Amino acid sequence: MMAYYNTNPKKIIQLENNSINLSIKRNKEGVPETFSFNGLSDTSTIKDFNKIDVNSQMFLEMYSDKELQRVDLGTISKPKIIMNETININRDNKSLKMNFFIKKNYIKVASKESLKPQDDSLNSTEGILIVDPCDLGETMWRVSPLDGLTEPILKVNNNQQIGLTSFLNSVDGRALILINAIEQIIRILPGKNNVEWVDKWITFLKNEGIDDIPDDENDPLLESWVEDTVDKIAKKWKLVSSYEANLFGEKEDDD
């Protein structure tokens, strides 16, 4: 007879990453330096969340291999609004981990282990890329149109349980979606002069230190330029190392 095991015997409610309004900023070495918190949102899809007493206390734990910083975040109904508070533990960008949990009468009632906060350090595309949440069926995202006649838009699936709009603002979203969307768009820039949306993207690229933009869409070096440009942006944003830093490991045992 097959044995079945309950992986959540304490019935702790599992929170979603995009329901926690937590963000970090990194220093120039890519190490998380400060954090901000602005309460909870998008909790309607979380099973049994409405059963939690709104006076329950919220906490954030940030820890490395040897140090722990625990922060009281107030209650669900009256959260403490925190802006750019210093992370006071010694660590490198690969060892910092975060857990968020809610307690009532010293008993944990909800949690999000290995929380992945929004990364406010990566804001280079702010105002440059139009994001449109829409019904894409079973497709996660696409860039459209790509004819160059009108500005390309990054369309993402509007399924709220997936939370792609919030995901785009994270390190993971930039590494897994945004950089590929940028690659598709810059490929159609050459040969479209004096077009407002093209000029906007050229300014963006120059701000990223890229000014050798081809003039001709038939330039034989276009493909290599696209690859080099994507590599430069990825290196500047530290996409792989930042993504790796967000792989916080296995879930910790519940208290």
Side-chain angles (χ1 to χ4, degrees):
M1 181 175 180
M2 183 178 293
Y4 293 92
Y5 299 92
N6 189 341
T7 58
N8 187 18
K10 297 180 182 179
K11 305 297 183 183
I12 296 172
I13 294 171
Q14 303 301 304
L15 302 174
E16 298 171 357
N17 212 75
N18 60 5
S19 66
I20 303 166
N21 296 323
L22 183 78
S23 62
I24 60 170
K25 286 186 178 179
R26 301 174 186 267
N27 59 23
K28 62 182 180 180
E29 285 77 33
V31 178
E33 193 169 48
T34 64
F35 73 96
S36 300
F37 177 72
N38 192 27
L40 302 178
S41 62
D42 299 327
T43 58
S44 60
T45 60
I46 301 174
K47 183 179 179 181
D48 294 331
F49 183 85
N50 59 352
K51 297 180 181 179
I52 302 176
D53 188 329
V54 295
N55 294 313
S56 299
Q57 294 288 137
M58 300 184 294
F59 297 92
L60 173 68
E61 284 185 347
M62 298 177 285
Y63 60 97
S64 63
D65 293 336
K66 298 181 179 180
E67 295 189 62
L68 169 69
Q69 181 179 353
R70 177 178 287 190
V71 183
D72 180 353
L73 299 176
T75 66
I76 295 175
S77 61
K78 294 182 179 179
K80 292 183 179 179
I81 307 304
I82 297 173
M83 294 297 294
N84 298 322
E85 184 166 320
T86 301
I87 299 173
N88 293 315
I89 57 176
N90 294 321
R91 77 285 177 208
D92 59 33
N93 62 337
K94 294 182 181 180
S95 65
L96 180 66
K97 301 180 182 181
M98 292 185 175
N99 291 335
F100 178 92
F101 57 92
I102 300 173
K103 285 190 173 183
K104 178 63 177 177
N105 296 329
Y106 304 102
I107 298 174
K108 185 186 292 187
V109 295
S111 71
K112 175 57 183 174
E113 311 291 337
S114 300
L115 173 64
K116 297 181 179 180
Q118 176 178 318
D119 194 332
D120 289 339
S121 310
L122 299 175
N123 59 2
S124 300
T125 55
E126 184 175 354
I128 184 67
L129 182 60
I130 299 175
V131 179
D132 178 26
C134 55
D135 184 2
L136 293 179
E138 291 298 315
T139 300
M140 296 288 282
W141 64 274
R142 66 161 56 99
V143 177
S144 178
L146 286 172
D147 56 12
L149 300 177
T150 55
E151 183 168 6
I153 296 173
L154 174 55
K155 298 183 177 182
V156 297
N157 197 302
N158 62 0
N159 186 319
Q160 292 185 357
Q161 295 188 41
I162 298 175
L164 278 182
T165 304
S166 299
F167 181 70
L168 280 176
N169 292 321
S170 69
V171 168
D172 294 358
R174 290 176 177 268
L176 298 176
I177 296 179
L178 193 60
I179 191 65
N180 298 102
I182 289 174
E183 179 176 1
Q184 292 185 45
I185 293 172
I186 65 174
R187 182 171 277 108
I188 65 173
L189 294 181
K192 299 174 180 62
N193 301 321
N194 301 319
V195 179
E196 184 176 353
W197 76 263
V198 173
D199 291 342
K200 180 178 68 172
W201 274 86
I202 290 175
T203 299
F204 160 71
L205 291 175
K206 289 182 177 179
N207 289 337
E208 295 297 316
I210 300 162
D211 53 12
D212 56 342
I213 304 168
D215 294 326
D216 186 355
E217 59 185 336
N218 296 314
D219 190 322
L221 298 178
L222 175 60
E223 200 61 34
S224 61
W225 174 81
V226 170
E227 292 183 5
D228 289 345
T229 297
V230 170
D231 287 345
K232 288 178 182 177
I233 295 175
K235 183 177 181 179
K236 181 177 180 180
W237 291 357
K238 299 181 178 180
L239 291 184
V240 172
S241 56
S242 296
Y243 178 80
E244 182 184 12
N246 256 5
L247 298 179
F248 289 148
E250 300 296 327
K251 290 185 177 182
E252 302 293 321
D253 293 335
D254 294 326
D255 292 342

